[in-house]
Amino acid sequence: MRLDNNFKRALKGLVINKLVSYKHTFVVYPLIVLGISLLGMMLTFILNRMNIPTGSVSGVLSFGITFTYIIMIILTISSSTRSEIKKRFVYPINRKVYAAGNFIILTICSFMLLAGMLAASMVEMLAAKLIAVFYPSTILVDTVTITSLLAGLWVTFSYAMLLLSVIYLINMFILRFKIRTAAILIVFGLMFIIPWWRSFTFDILSFFIFEQSVIILSIKLLLTSSIVYWIGCLPLKEMEVNI
Amino acid sequence: MMKKILIPIILTLCLSVVALIFPAGQNTTSLYKSYKLEIDPAKPLTLDFEKARIRVLNWEEFYGTDREYVEVKVYDYLLSQKSDRYVDADTAHIKLKNFVEFKKTSDNQPFVYQMRPWISLFQFDKYKDQVVYDELAEGRDVEIFVPRNIPLNIAAEDIIAKGCLLKSAKSSTAYIKRCRVMDNFSGEGKAVQIEKSSVGKNAALKYDSVKIEAED
């Protein structure tokens, strides 16, 4: 029981400490995406007033996803470097605390960043509606509903978790078994010339991308990402001893 | 700690409510009205869109595979008079209804802004249409998708035709690309530009200006 309490206390400390260090990230990156989106909107508006034809403007919820994924990949890689892990392994944080804490941190970071994008998209929508008030010949094509916003947030988050778990797994194995991991990755890459390997890879992808239920897809993605993350934590066992 | 977490959540929720219920001017869910029309594959198809600038594409040109029907997209955000239906059609003749007048002056050119939900919803059939951005179809009023091997008789104010089989065309200007212009084709208007297309025998190009670029 006492051990459990220690575990919980150490985990809480690790998560809060890390999240506090990321607090500016949650504000700055959605603001950057919002800034780009509003700039795009204003440029389109000005070009329109000058009778220069423009294409569709991509909103926060379209290009913001790519932006979030890139930021999260950088955070994942930076959290699984040798120096970062070394810094974390200080009593009472052992590999179990670190593995669980890192997973919780990645989960919260992904969710917070995507929630930040959602808030930014609301500002974008408000800005577009304000333009419509002052410039009456504005046409707003709006298919956003509360259901699609929430379902989209959940699906995007689930995909983010799978992506981050895979990145974590690869990064951890490269960190621990550099040459062997690189060799396996190269062999896997070269095997794409074999048709059955290509179709096998496509079958794995279609397990996710052809799913038509939001709930089942998110269960598949989150379960797979938990397993992949757990495998990614295996090299930690030996690293803890070495450090 | 809880206060620090709750403040941004409450702010986001308030912002969402304001943004969603804030009244906007002309709000729509699509830039166009779409009509899927059955046709008779044994007969030539007449497209009668004299007051409109149209773009005609074969299905393969845009979607990669051919289809058996015709789809007409009327960009009704350019219309001052709204209606439930803008086209009359039978299996060999599709035409715009009489009242349809598109705005032509540049002063009336509206500012179009599209807001879409998360792009990751694209994989779900029920959300797919909500996620895809409407294309502005090269500034056209009407866009028409046709099967590859249907001979077309087209009348419009201005035509862009890509990948089609053309029997006749009547318009002020025409831009024809990757098309098969049939034998005895009859074309009429001010200017025509034909690119990467095959032109059949005895084609009558009654235009003030004719520009033909070599076939691929």
Side-chain angles (χ1 to χ4, degrees):
Chain A
M1 191 67 196
R2 208 177 147 199
L3 256 179
D4 273 353
N5 280 339
N6 279 343
F7 180 83
K8 277 183 207 164
R9 215 172 295 134
L11 186 65
K12 194 178 166 188
L14 175 71
V15 171
I16 290 177
N17 176 274
K18 196 74 184 167
L19 287 181
V20 168
S21 70
Y22 285 149
K23 67 180 177 190
H24 295 298
T25 312
F26 302 139
V27 179
V28 172
Y29 289 113
L31 280 180
I32 291 173
V33 173
L34 177 64
I36 295 169
S37 174
L38 291 182
L39 193 66
M41 186 193 291
M42 289 318 296
L43 274 175
T44 318
F45 181 71
I46 292 165
L47 290 173
N48 176 273
R49 297 293 288 153
M50 292 161 72
N51 288 322
I52 298 169
T54 51
S56 290
V57 182
S58 214
V60 168
L61 296 181
S62 299
F63 78 92
I65 290 182
T66 320
F67 202 84
T68 311
Y69 283 1
I70 291 170
I71 298 297
M72 283 310 300
I73 288 170
I74 294 169
L75 285 184
T76 310
I77 293 173
S78 70
S79 74
S80 52
T81 58
R82 193 173 284 277
S83 61
E84 180 66 22
I85 295 170
K86 216 175 201 175
K87 216 191 302 173
R88 294 288 153 203
F89 278 148
V90 179
Y91 181 80
I93 295 170
N94 55 22
R95 66 188 158 84
K96 282 181 186 164
V97 176
Y98 170 78
N102 199 44
F103 189 72
I104 294 170
I105 290 162
L106 290 180
T107 310
I108 295 177
C109 283
S110 308
F111 201 82
M112 292 289 276
L113 271 180
L114 290 171
M117 295 296 160
L118 188 62
S121 79
M122 290 297 118
V123 178
E124 179 202 19
M125 185 185 280
L126 207 53
K129 288 187 172 181
L130 280 173
I131 289 179
V133 169
F134 292 109
Y135 184 61
S137 61
T138 301
I139 310 279
L140 289 180
V141 187
D142 176 12
T143 53
V144 176
T145 60
I146 290 179
T147 324
S148 63
L149 280 181
L150 296 179
L153 176 64
W154 188 238
V155 170
T156 312
F157 165 72
S158 307
Y159 269 117
M161 287 314 294
L162 180 63
L163 178 73
L164 299 184
S165 300
V166 172
I167 299 281
Y168 185 79
L169 171 92
I170 294 172
N171 207 42
M172 286 304 288
F173 273 85
I174 285 180
L175 197 66
R176 189 70 192 87
F177 313 102
K178 279 188 189 68
I179 296 169
R180 273 170 283 181
T181 312
I184 289 169
L185 287 175
I186 290 168
V187 170
F188 277 3
L190 289 175
M191 277 170 76
F192 271 97
I193 55 171
I194 306 167
W196 72 261
W197 178 257
R198 277 204 303 270
S199 83
F200 173 69
T201 314
F202 183 73
D203 286 346
I204 292 176
L205 286 178
S206 43
F207 178 65
F208 300 111
I209 59 176
F210 291 132
E211 178 56 55
Q212 288 298 310
S213 157
V214 171
I215 295 167
I216 294 173
L217 175 70
S218 60
I219 291 171
K220 282 179 180 179
L221 287 168
L222 293 175
L223 271 179
T224 315
S225 38
S226 306
I227 295 166
V228 171
Y229 183 83
W230 179 76
I231 298 170
C233 288
L234 292 180
L236 277 175
K237 197 175 177 182
E238 290 182 35
M239 290 169 79
E240 191 186 32
V241 177
N242 291 342
I243 291 162
Chain B
M1 185 68 189
M2 278 307 285
K3 205 176 164 187
K4 279 185 181 171
I5 297 170
L6 279 176
I7 288 172
I9 294 173
I10 292 168
L11 272 176
T12 306
L13 283 174
C14 294
L15 193 63
S16 309
V17 171
V18 173
L20 288 170
I21 63 171
F22 191 86
Q26 299 176 60
N27 210 337
T28 174
T29 53
S30 177
L31 283 176
Y32 54 79
K33 265 214 159 60
S34 170
Y35 304 96
K36 287 177 182 168
L37 307 164
E38 295 299 321
I39 52 157
D40 184 350
K43 288 182 190 167
L45 180 66
T46 301
L47 302 173
D48 199 351
F49 291 81
E50 277 182 13
K51 294 174 189 171
R53 298 167 297 179
I54 68 170
R55 180 166 85 157
V56 188
L57 304 169
N58 83 55
W59 285 108
E60 261 181 77
E61 186 84 21
F62 209 75
Y63 292 101
T65 49
D66 206 9
R67 297 178 192 182
E68 302 265 295
Y69 58 93
V70 169
E71 183 172 357
V72 178
K73 290 178 179 175
V74 179
Y75 284 79
D76 61 341
Y77 76 97
L78 296 165
L79 294 167
S80 42
Q81 193 180 345
K82 305 285 178 188
S83 165
D84 288 337
R85 195 168 178 88
Y86 298 109
V87 292
D88 282 328
D90 60 40
T91 54
H93 192 171
I94 301 168
K95 69 171 195 172
L96 267 184
K97 287 198 167 185
N98 287 333
F99 69 90
V100 178
E101 297 272 359
F102 292 94
K103 294 172 185 171
K104 289 291 183 283
T105 59
S106 55
D107 295 342
N108 288 331
Q109 194 63 34
F111 168 59
V112 177
Y113 196 76
Q114 303 189 47
M115 287 173 295
R116 300 289 188 223
W118 302 87
I119 202 164
S120 50
L121 291 176
F122 183 78
Q123 80 175 77
F124 304 103
D125 289 342
K126 73 173 173 181
Y127 292 115
K128 195 176 262 179
D129 290 343
Q130 295 179 26
V131 176
V132 178
Y133 284 80
D134 288 349
E135 205 211 347
L136 294 176
E138 300 179 79
R140 304 284 96 181
D141 304 322
V142 178
E143 186 174 39
I144 304 162
F145 291 93
V146 293
R148 189 175 188 84
N149 292 316
I150 286 279
L152 299 174
N153 297 306
I154 309 176
E157 187 186 304
D158 186 12
I159 299 171
I160 292 177
K162 290 181 181 173
C164 308
L165 181 59
L166 296 176
K167 194 161 182 266
S168 76
K170 188 180 170 191
S171 64
S172 174
T173 59
Y175 175 66
I176 294 166
K177 193 172 182 182
R178 291 188 292 277
C179 290
R180 274 187 296 150
V181 177
M182 294 173 74
D183 293 347
N184 304 315
F185 168 83
S186 150
E188 230 179 280
K190 284 183 187 163
V192 66
Q193 184 176 346
I194 302 175
E195 276 181 23
K196 298 174 183 172
S197 303
S198 61
V199 181
K201 291 172 197 164
N202 305 323
L205 301 171
K206 295 174 197 158
Y207 293 92
D208 299 339
S209 156
V210 177
K211 193 175 169 190
I212 301 179
E213 282 184 23
E215 192 183 342
D216 272 346

